[in-house]
Amino acid sequence: MNAAPVVSVAPVSLPAPDRGHDLDVRVSAPVIGTDLPVVLFSHGFGSSLRGYGPLTDSWAAHGFVVVQPTHLDSRALAVTSSASPWRSRADDLRRILDDLAVLVRAVPGLEDRVDTGRIGVAGHSFGGQTAGLLLGLRVSDPDGVPGPDLSDARVQVGVLLATAGRGGDSLAPGMIERMPWLNPTFEGLTTPTLVVVGDADRSPLTVRGPEWMTDPYRLSPGATDLLTVVGGEHSLGGVPGYEAAETTDEDPARVAVVQRLTGAYLRSALVPGDDAWARTRQSVDPALVRLESRVPERA
């Protein structure tokens, strides 16, 4: 569909007495359209519901209701970090799913235009691991014992952007002690998922270089496609925000292709009969991105 004007309401606060701070959420949607699917977006460490406009604005303009929480690790809250930030983040997303009707009603005129039975989840960096938990990713303890299965059957598709790979000997020295949650396993990630990486994303968390970020695709049975952004660093050209300070590889062309391909993947997964993914993947510029797929080309 063509881009439409977008309306956003923020913050919408969900009571969360067990959390220590109410869960603040932004809800964005196009001003036109019906049967709109929903995408939950989990921000990277330290960001908030006000980040990631280049992605979330684009998805909303092209027919999605986008829901963005502020997790407890956000710099906007100045809250002492949870001992298990990965678990509190997953709880945030599950709370949103439980209270989705409340959030939809916060946007005037949206309640009758949304289809809350069609849901995707996406995230960048630590937010990618968070989204992955609802898709079947599990976090193991430092001894390799898998943590709880937090997958959610209400979620039908995922997009993981610049998301950490496996732990163990892939991690830089001392990382597992500092960040014990940085030890994911992907065998249980069975929900259809697009993994997006940058081939110049050299994270200090790993000894393996940019290839580490491809683990969510290579090690999970559910990930169907791998999108590699040529020359992309951790910000993938600037997806964390307009003129965001953490962007080290600012490139509007990279952002545009990530917007277009992620939106197409979500549409084809959540809108019956939509062939956006098949059409869009045929027109990519190999100078900007590379695509790898495990499944036949699909509508």
Side-chain angles (χ1 to χ4, degrees):
M1 65 175 291
N2 294 327
V6 171
V7 60
S8 293
V9 176
V12 183
S13 294
L14 295 176
D18 57 327
R19 189 175 179 265
H21 193 288
D22 286 349
L23 177 57
D24 290 337
V25 177
R26 171 187 290 269
V27 183
S28 303
V31 299
I32 59 173
T34 58
D35 299 321
L36 303 171
V38 178
V39 177
L40 278 59
F41 184 83
S42 178
H43 63 72
F45 189 87
S47 189
S48 74
L49 60 77
R50 303 192 182 280
Y52 293 92
L55 274 183
T56 59
D57 290 352
S58 176
W59 292 343
H62 288 88
F64 298 96
V65 176
V66 183
V67 183
Q68 298 173 255
T70 292
H71 296 301
L72 287 175
D73 58 67
S74 173
R75 292 183 294 270
L77 295 181
V79 173
T80 302
S81 296
S82 165
S84 299
W86 62 273
R87 182 59 188 265
S88 73
R89 282 169 150 263
D91 289 344
D92 289 346
L93 296 187
R94 295 173 71 88
R95 192 184 302 269
I96 286 170
L97 291 174
D98 292 342
D99 291 336
L100 197 51
V102 175
L103 295 171
V104 167
R105 285 196 296 270
V107 182
L110 182 59
E111 187 173 10
D112 294 331
R113 299 194 297 118
V114 63
D115 184 348
T116 56
R118 293 187 285 152
I119 298 173
V121 64
H124 174 256
S125 194
F126 195 16
Q129 186 181 77
T130 306
L133 289 164
L134 271 63
L135 303 169
L137 178 155
R138 296 172 75 173
V139 173
S140 298
D141 69 19
D143 295 324
V145 178
D149 178 3
L150 301 177
S151 60
D152 197 303
R154 291 172 289 186
V155 176
Q156 290 126 41
V157 65
V159 176
L160 306 183
L161 302 112
T163 300
R166 66 180 178 85
D169 59 6
S170 289
L171 297 177
M175 285 300 169
I176 196 64
E177 291 79 16
R178 290 171 51 195
M179 303 178 184
W181 60 87
L182 200 63
N183 204 22
T185 59
F186 302 98
E187 293 82 1
L189 199 162
T190 57
T191 308
T193 298
L194 170 66
V195 176
V196 184
V197 303
D199 68 2
D201 187 355
R202 295 176 176 82
S203 171
L205 304 176
T206 182
V207 296
R208 287 173 49 204
E211 184 264 342
W212 183 55
M213 301 282 184
T214 69
D215 284 355
Y217 171 74
R218 305 205 182 281
L219 301 180
S220 68
T224 61
D225 297 86
L226 175 67
L227 172 64
T228 300
V229 180
V230 176
E233 299 180 12
H234 198 60
S235 298
L236 301 171
V239 300
Y242 305 106
E243 301 179 351
E246 60 263 42
T247 296
T248 58
D249 64 329
E250 185 174 2
D251 188 328
R254 286 182 190 140
V255 173
V257 76
V258 172
Q259 289 170 330
R260 191 160 55 94
L261 284 160
T262 55
Y265 187 88
L266 289 165
R267 284 200 65 79
S268 289
L270 294 174
V271 179
D274 193 295
D275 67 348
W277 179 242
R279 288 185 288 104
T280 305
R281 61 177 291 151
Q282 292 301 320
S283 61
V284 298
D285 182 350
L288 288 174
V289 294
R290 299 189 298 271
L291 272 170
E292 183 177 336
S293 179
R294 284 208 188 95
V295 296
E297 189 174 304
R298 62 185 178 87

